[in-house]
């Protein structure tokens, strides 16, 4: 299906309009969205994405519609995994809860620009060099392998190279000044942590684009579908962050599910590359007759893997244990930092979450409770958080 310039223009206008509405209606004034607000707007954005997919089905046909939904579901799943990294970065930067929306919206906009650039670059390479499919396939297989390796929060910490350089050579403030990027400290203009966290989020967005764009090109080479599926998967990501906050820890098998999906798409890309082969050292430069995986099959596999992954994460005892332990550590760390916030409501919110996670740990099977006691420094960290809370209450 040929996509007219008018269709491109209208689509881009709708996406820009949604981003502008998101900023002026929800993000411009700093506040912490309620669960109800996040749920409503997450549903609206998912509904818009589905509605757009239905239009693609009607106008572009079954094949094009299937490609859009396969790409959208894959990119949405990858976005949820990205949210966990955003959570770690914002926790390590101690971003005030009410200002996290602006950081997330910046991340979404930057990610949209970065991925759009990679989309058109990827399309140009694919149109010029069929062997690029081999490269994309290998990238996804390597990424899938990396996802199977155990990760710690330190592997996604905000203390990356760019941030260390900025702190060393530029005058940076240790404290936030609302949502300002610059502030005056001791009579000098200084960078605020808000600017640094945006740099950190932007850097991770570039890395995410390197994984996600080859993945969706493995499902479709239609640039319009790649762009719209990617863009709509990013819409509503800010609301989804607040909606899933607290549930992200429970999705402990998400990385395994995504590894399976990326590995599957990587194999699909390599099979396609063999089918289109023109490399002289592979089958003498002739196409290799191999089985190609249809888009409908891809969509079914992706949905099945995600369903199994989510169910396994939410129902397994190991998942509940790891969620409780990881959550207790994160909330205790946040509260133990006395400079995190001066807001009584925010302190109470974090402390309540810590208490909830502690209760969950106490209800775990004996072997998991023992694991919690053996977690390096966890018990001391929780005790410190309780002591800090008692001191805060006594000084009110």
């Amino acid at each position: 299906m040929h996509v007219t310039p008018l269709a491109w223009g209208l689509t881009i206008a709708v996406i820009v309009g949604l981003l502008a509405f998101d900023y002026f209606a929800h993000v411009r004034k700093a506040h912490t969205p309620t669960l109800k607000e996040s749920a409503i707007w997450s549903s609206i954005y998912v509904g818009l994405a589905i509605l757009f997919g239905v239009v693609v089905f009607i106008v572009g046909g079954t094949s094009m519609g299937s490609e859009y939904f396969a790409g959208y579901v894959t990119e949405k799943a990858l976005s949820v995994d990205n949210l966990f990294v955003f959570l770690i970065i914002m926790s390590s930067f101690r971003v005030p809860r009410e200002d996290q929306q602006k950081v997330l919206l910046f991340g979404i906009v930057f990610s949209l620009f970065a991925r759009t650039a990679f989309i058109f670059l990827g399309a140009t390479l694919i149109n010029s060099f069929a062997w690029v499919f081999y490269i994309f396939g290998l990238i996804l297989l390597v990424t899938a392998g990396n996802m199977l390796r155990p990760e710690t929060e330190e592997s996604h910490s905000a203390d990356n190279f760019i941030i260390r350089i900025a702190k060393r050579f530029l005058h940076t403030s240790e404290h936030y000044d609302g949502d300002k990027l610059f502030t005056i400290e001791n009579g000098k203009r200084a960078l605020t942590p808000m600017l640094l966290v945006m740099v950190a989020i932007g850097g991770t967005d570039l890395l995410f684009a390197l994984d996600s764009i080859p993945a969706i090109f493995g499902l479709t080479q239609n640039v319009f579908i790649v762009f719209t599926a990617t863009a709509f998967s990013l819409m509503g990501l800010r609301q989804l962050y607040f909606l899933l906050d607290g549930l992200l820890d429970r999705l402990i098998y998400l990385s395994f599910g995504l590894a399976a999906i990326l590995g599957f798409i990587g194999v699909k890309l390599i099979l396609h590359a063999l089918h289109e082969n023109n490399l002289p050292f592979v089958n003498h430069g002739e196409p290799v007759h191999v089985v190609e995986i249809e888009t409908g099959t891809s969509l079914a596999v992706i949905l099945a893997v995600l369903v199994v992954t989510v169910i396994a994460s939410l129902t397994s005892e190991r998942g509940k244990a790891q969620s409780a332990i990881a959550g207790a550590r994160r909330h205790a760390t946040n509260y133990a930092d006395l400079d995190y916030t001066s807001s009584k409501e925010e302190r109470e919110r974090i402390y309540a979450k810590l208490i909830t996670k502690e209760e969950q740990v106490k209800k775990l099977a004996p072997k998991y409770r023992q694991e919690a006691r053996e977690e390096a420094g966890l018990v001391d960290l929780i005790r410190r958080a309780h002591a800090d809370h008692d001191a805060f209450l006594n000084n009110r």
Side-chain angles (χ1 to χ4, degrees), residues 219-273:
L219 299 169
T220 177
Q221 285 81 59
N222 186 313
V223 177
F224 181 76
I225 295 299
V226 172
F227 172 76
T228 52
T230 301
F232 276 106
S233 73
L234 293 172
M235 296 290 105
L237 199 60
R238 175 184 62 79
Q239 293 87 346
L240 193 63
Y241 172 87
F242 290 97
L243 184 62
L244 294 182
D245 187 17
L247 182 61
L248 290 174
D249 285 329
R250 290 295 305 274
L251 300 177
I252 65 163
Y253 298 127
L254 180 63
S255 60
F256 294 100
L258 291 177
I261 291 172
L262 293 181
F264 169 77
I265 298 175
V267 170
K268 184 178 187 292
L269 273 171
I270 291 176
L271 289 175
H272 182 73

Side-chain angles (χ1 to χ4, degrees), residues 358-386:
E358 281 189 273
E359 291 300 319
Q360 291 176 3
V361 171
K362 291 176 182 177
K363 294 177 182 178
L364 295 175
K367 66 175 182 178
Y368 297 127
R369 291 202 303 272
Q370 183 61 34
E371 287 182 13
R373 285 192 289 269
E374 293 174 355
E375 278 274 314
L378 178 59
V379 174
D380 290 338
L381 186 60
I382 292 176
R383 286 174 179 167
R384 180 187 165 193
H386 282 293

